[in-house]
Amino acid sequence: MRSYVLLLGLLTFMLVVPGMAAAALPVPTEIEVIDVPNDDGASLGVLWFWRGETSEDTRVTIEIEVARDIIDEYALTVDEADKLQREREALRGKLESILPAMYEALQAAGEIQARLQVAEANKDPDTNQIRREYWSRQREYNRLHAQREKLWEGFLSRTTTHKTGYLDRQQTADYIVATLNNSPWVACSDVEDAKVDMDGNWPTKGEQTGYFGQDPPEADKVFYKVSSFRVLNPAKFAGTFTDAPDDIDYSAPEKIQLKLHPNTAYNLRLVVSEGDEQAIYELGGGTGRVNFFNVSLVNNLIFAVGFGIIILVAIMLARRNPNMFIRRISGLEAVDEAIGRATEMGKPVLYLCGLDPLSTLSTLAAINILGRVARRIADYDSDLVVPQRDPVVLTVAQEVVREAYIDQGRPDAYKEDNIFFVTDDQFSFTATTCAIMMRDKPAANFFMGYYYAESLLLAETGAATGAIQIAGTDALHQLPFFITTCDYTLIGEELYAASAYLSREPLLLGSLKGQDLGKALIMLLIVVQSLLFAINADWNWLKMLVEPL
Amino acid sequence: MDFVETILNLDRRIIYTIVALLVLIPLIKPFSLPIKPTPEVIGIFREIDKLEAGDNILIAADFDPASKPELMPMLEAVLAHCFERGIKPHVLTLWPSGPGLAQQAIERQAEKYDKKSGIDYCFLGFRYGNVAVILGIVSSITDTFTTDYYGTPTRNMQIYQDVDAVRDMDYILDIAAGATVEGWVVYAAEKAGVKMGASCTAVSATAYYPLLQADQITGLSGGMKGSAEYETLLSGKYGVPKGDATKGMDAQSAVHVFIVLSIILANVCYFISLKREDEERRRA
Amino acid sequence: MLFFKRQWPIIIAFVMGIVMWARFYIPTEQSQTLQDEFMRWARILFGFAAMLGILSLLHHHWNKIKLKRPGFGFSVVTLVAFVIMALTGLLPVSWTWLGFADNLRSSNGPHMYLFEHMFVPMQATMFSVLAFFIASAAFRAFRARSIEATALLIAGCVIMIGRVPVGDWLASVTTVEMGSWGARSLINFPYVTDWLLNIPNAAAQRGIILGVILSQIAISVRIIFGIERTYMGGGD
């Protein structure tokens, strides 16, 4: 249906345009209103071609028919209106009782001031007496004036609630119509000053790759996105109270910005003007719709699904061929050595899961490693101490360690009290953990997971006690501290690989292979793109793949 | 035990004492070394300086008392810069222990420049939810922060009559002690198409260079040095008195020089001891 | 019973993993509501877990005191501090007889007083200890044992000088006129610092970030498909 209307409009233009070509105004042709892909579903787009030259003076306004919306936006519920009205009446009563006294005080102060001036001129002996009287009146006035100001503020605050202006339904409608010269059309804020950009070019469809892709057909079409419009701010216009301030500048009223509602039809029109000349083009209605799929995330989806498949395939291959080569990670080779040493010395092993909650993947990785480490410790029969910062991580860690001890047939050796909650405060946790290191002198310290500024405090204290220290983190800026103070450090992805490495389970190792394949793919992309850049090739599809759409 | 062995087995407490003295002395008696602003900090200053009176800037003060010496001067300097140029700052924090410090800074600067809350600036305070808060203000500030820090409804404020979402801002600055910068870049700056700068602790500065190179942030201020550079730029252009970061730079210089010298000394001794061991082995 | 212990959690993890992943691509209001709802569940869970945390803390320290393990005196301090902070924050009684404000929330109330005058300074102290630890760690661990260690050592020293005004000062005093090359600084730490941070540092960081992100995708896939189960306390 809409396309027929558009076709009809187009034909009309073609017939009318030759007659108008003599006029200075540029004419938009093939205008269309489109739904713009977006998250909030409250945007429309307007597209058109120009016929004739546009100049710096050409102004384009896209207007929107909105009276109904604004009324809804500003409408009070009956209860709200009643409540505000009651509170206003109470304040009005108080204000009205203060005003006469205030004016009286002002008048009295004025009279005495006149007397004071005469007395001062005559050097009257009563001058000081009169001055005291004047100041006492003036103070009275100041006090009442301050009270009035406070009440007036309260009054104003009850006329503009968080949701509404203080005009009621009928008043709003009257107001809108009146302020807009009997027309329900208002300008959209984002195109109100729709002029050419710095270089004199109109923004075109071809520049909006986010909506239309890199090379859209009809790339020269002018494009505007409409997502909000402006109306005069009703809150600025008092009108229900006689003592309204006089200093409102009605000539340049403040405007407020209102957003388009999703799934609501809006009528649009396009106004082209140059100086006094003006032409109006009705565009009909358009409805902004929420997308069921976020188009701008297409490339993200491609990558996510692609890597997911690569990893799953690698795992399946690993099931067939379980003997895979995995490079030696010295930090993980040292785990047995560290635990063995703790057993020999009869000292405990300290294990930290990082400072982040369970929702951080590195904490999850740390928990996985804890499960493996706990199995070895159960075998070797030494103590495992795990202070915790997050209560959720605490419960999971207790469960993981208990299961590990049961799996190794040593449920008797499990001590729940050794895995305990300290505090969720960063430095209090650090202080406690450092104190445990100083007092109990664990023979091996494991710092796995995500760390912040406390990394050096922990690792340096551990180094001072002479423990073997193995750290693993993806907190990039803490890596240098761990590298300088710990014996072994798992960098970034090694932390995530650790669980698979320690278990030697083919399925887990397979996912590592998949990761490597993914990495190779990314490296290939980087190299190809760099080469293309170097030879100045114009291959936009590659760029499209990696840039946010 | 000779000198070399003494140095190699030096008691930590001696180093601690020297560090304490080197921090204290320059604070009491500063020697005012000149500070040269780096392009990273100029990248923030220039963008804010480009804004016009009446423009809006969103400042996230995501730090707590622990990083006050590094980041508080930056907040104060940026606020002074805004007020000096008539730019309207909207300050909020994602850290529960952040509002106290931000409140101190903003009230001090607002009083100095005689600026009014709700008209010239707004202090929104803290809301729980990190990324959820960022996403919230991307669609509406007044819906996410229905009241400001002092409990005043934001919807009525003059400052929010024209402005209501991140896209209406002209610049975003995250002053962060933790890992909030990425969140602001991804969810606010990129999504709303607003330029952004980051100020962080010196330790985490290295992690943000990739963002700087990809033009996801226009500038990067690392630690107390970055804050001091901003103070220098501000005092150079507008004559605003320099603040606490500049005062701290002498102490930082002294300690850095000490650490470098001690590393060199330790290494020289290390090599001498290696050589001795070699000789002993040969003799044996 | 074994079903609820082994298979059931994996089914939940699979369904929730897929739902939340799909939700990321769906911008509708319902999808947002779903996310908000699960966030609320998470907060409720956290509330209960916090209770467990407190019980664990009390149990641990109480045991330590009861068995008079080494350092049990510190546990007494912990428990006393815990009780005092909890009582001053929770008990609806007047503390005016101690000179505090009546309102618990006020900054003159006992709870905020303890927070501001004990907790905040102690926290600041812990953070400032870092400066001393960095000095001693650098002195002890920065040794030119290998080529890599030497590179780390040199880069560290250059950046330490280049990031403070001394570096700028050194660069300015060693500036000489070099004919057609113009004025050049002979010892320019800030320049080298800038290069180190912008080129090798940024390159290494990117490499690590890419690796980490891929690993996170892999671990997510492993968890969603029930291949990685250690975190549930289950076996391999």
Side-chain angles (χ1 to χ4, degrees), chain B residues 9-238:
Chain B
N9 300 311
L10 195 65
D11 191 332
R12 280 159 213 264
R13 280 165 292 192
I14 296 176
I15 300 175
Y16 296 165
T17 315
I18 298 174
V19 169
L21 288 175
L22 286 175
V23 170
L24 267 179
I25 294 168
L27 282 179
I28 296 164
K29 207 171 159 48
F31 40 86
S32 308
L33 283 165
I35 295 164
K36 195 174 154 222
T38 53
E40 289 88 352
V41 177
I42 294 174
I44 301 177
F45 184 86
R46 197 181 43 219
E47 288 299 328
I48 297 181
D49 213 47
K50 261 198 233 161
L51 302 182
E52 286 165 12
D55 281 352
N56 295 278
I57 173 170
L58 185 76
I59 302 175
D62 303 330
F63 59 92
D64 61 355
S67 32
K68 181 184 171 191
E70 285 186 276
L71 299 176
M72 182 83 153
M74 185 69 185
L75 179 60
E76 297 227 16
V78 172
L79 286 172
H81 193 182
C82 292
F83 288 148
E84 187 76 40
R85 301 203 22 99
I87 301 163
K88 298 173 182 171
H90 304 243
V91 184
L92 59 93
T93 173
L94 302 177
W95 279 39
S97 42
L101 293 175
Q103 184 194 4
Q104 277 174 28
I106 199 155
E107 282 177 2
R108 189 154 46 216
Q109 294 301 330
E111 200 191 334
K112 212 181 270 175
Y113 288 92
D114 193 23
K115 298 287 181 183
K116 301 235 161 14
S117 174
I119 299 170
D120 304 307
Y121 71 90
C122 183
F123 178 41
L124 296 162
F126 165 76
R127 281 287 177 287
Y128 176 79
N130 281 320
V131 170
V133 175
I134 301 180
L135 287 174
I137 63 167
V138 165
S139 54
S140 171
I141 295 176
T142 48
D143 283 351
T144 314
F145 290 84
T146 47
T147 63
D148 71 353
Y149 184 68
Y150 309 101
T152 320
T154 45
R155 192 56 76 96
N156 297 341
M157 287 182 176
Q158 197 181 321
I159 198 170
Y160 289 117
Q161 297 309 314
D162 274 346
V163 169
D164 188 36
V166 172
R167 62 159 183 248
D168 302 323
M169 295 287 147
D170 300 285
Y171 196 68
I172 302 171
L173 180 69
D174 185 19
I175 305 180
T180 48
V181 176
E182 285 97 337
W184 282 106
V185 168
V186 174
Y187 297 108
E190 303 263 289
K191 222 173 163 164
V194 183
K195 286 188 178 174
M196 179 178 156
S199 168
C200 56
T201 51
V203 169
S204 43
T206 51
Y208 298 131
Y209 273 83
L211 296 183
L212 188 67
Q213 288 187 346
D215 279 337
Q216 286 174 305
I217 50 177
T218 67
L220 175 64
S221 158
M224 194 191 260
K225 171 81 180 336
S227 308
E229 287 172 23
Y230 204 95
E231 285 174 355
T232 309
L233 285 166
L234 196 61
S235 98
K237 184 149 183 189
Y238 298 104

Side-chain angles (χ1 to χ4, degrees), chain B residues 7 12 15-16 19-20 33-34 36 40 66 128 206 209-210 213 222 225 249 253 256 259 262-263 267 270, chain C residues 43 127 132-133 135-136 139-140 142-145 153 160 163-166 168 194 197-198 201-202 205-206:
Chain B
I7 290 293
R12 280 159 213 264
I15 300 175
Y16 296 165
V19 169
L33 283 165
K36 195 174 154 222
E40 289 88 352
Y128 176 79
T206 51
Y209 273 83
Q213 288 187 346
K225 171 81 180 336
M249 280 325 287
S253 287
H256 277 210
I259 294 179
S262 63
I263 291 173
N267 273 288
Y270 173 65
Chain C
R43 278 205 289 277
F127 193 64
F132 299 98
F133 277 27
S136 81
F139 180 79
R140 194 175 48 76
F142 266 13
R143 298 277 155 85
R145 286 195 183 94
L153 190 159
M160 263 191 275
R163 290 287 295 163
V164 289
V166 175
D168 296 325
D194 215 40
L197 288 176
N198 267 306
N201 166 59
Q205 302 263 8
R206 278 183 190 182

Side-chain angles (χ1 to χ4, degrees), chain C residues 25-155:
Chain C
Y25 298 98
I26 303 171
T28 57
E29 210 178 318
Q30 291 86 338
S31 137
Q32 189 57 45
T33 315
L34 188 78
Q35 161 108 347
D36 292 347
E37 195 59 32
F38 282 128
M39 288 291 143
R40 202 167 302 137
W41 288 15
R43 278 205 289 277
I44 294 170
L45 268 181
F46 186 85
F48 282 103
M51 296 296 290
L52 282 180
I54 291 171
L55 282 181
S56 158
L57 175 93
L58 295 179
H59 185 251
H60 175 80
H61 287 288
W62 180 249
N63 261 354
K64 223 167 164 184
I65 297 169
K66 207 168 70 186
L67 301 173
K68 291 220 168 59
R69 290 211 202 116
F72 74 94
F74 297 108
S75 294
V76 175
V77 175
T78 305
L79 290 187
V80 169
F82 176 83
V83 169
I84 290 177
M85 282 310 271
L87 289 186
T88 52
L90 292 173
L91 274 193
V93 295
S94 170
W95 298 85
T96 41
W97 56 280
L98 276 173
F100 290 116
D102 209 19
N103 184 355
L104 286 179
R105 292 268 174 85
S106 133
S107 59
N108 289 324
H111 190 76
M112 283 311 283
Y113 180 86
L114 290 173
F115 181 82
E116 277 171 23
H117 296 90
M118 289 189 75
F119 182 70
V120 171
M122 285 195 286
Q123 210 190 14
T125 308
M126 277 308 288
F127 193 64
S128 60
V129 168
L130 256 185
F132 299 98
F133 277 27
I134 284 177
S136 81
F139 180 79
R140 194 175 48 76
F142 266 13
R143 298 277 155 85
R145 286 195 183 94
S146 61
I147 295 174
E148 293 92 338
T150 316
L152 182 70
L153 190 159
I154 293 172

Side-chain angles (χ1 to χ4, degrees), chain A residues 283-356:
Chain A
L283 306 178
T287 307
R289 286 200 178 81
V290 182
N291 289 327
F292 192 67
F293 175 75
N294 192 341
V295 188
S296 60
L297 291 174
V298 170
N299 51 9
N300 183 302
L301 182 70
I302 294 173
F303 270 96
V305 172
F307 281 127
I309 290 174
I310 289 177
I311 286 164
L312 286 177
V313 167
I315 290 172
M316 270 192 281
L317 289 179
R319 210 191 280 257
R320 274 189 219 151
N321 175 23
N323 295 320
M324 263 180 296
F325 170 76
I326 293 288
R327 104 183 136 82
R328 203 172 156 273
I329 300 176
S330 50
L332 294 175
E333 294 289 321
V335 167
D336 277 334
E337 176 200 340
I339 299 172
R341 185 159 162 249
T343 316
E344 271 169 32
M345 292 168 71
K347 297 273 185 191
V349 173
L350 181 80
Y351 191 99
L352 301 186
C353 298
L355 268 81
D356 267 5

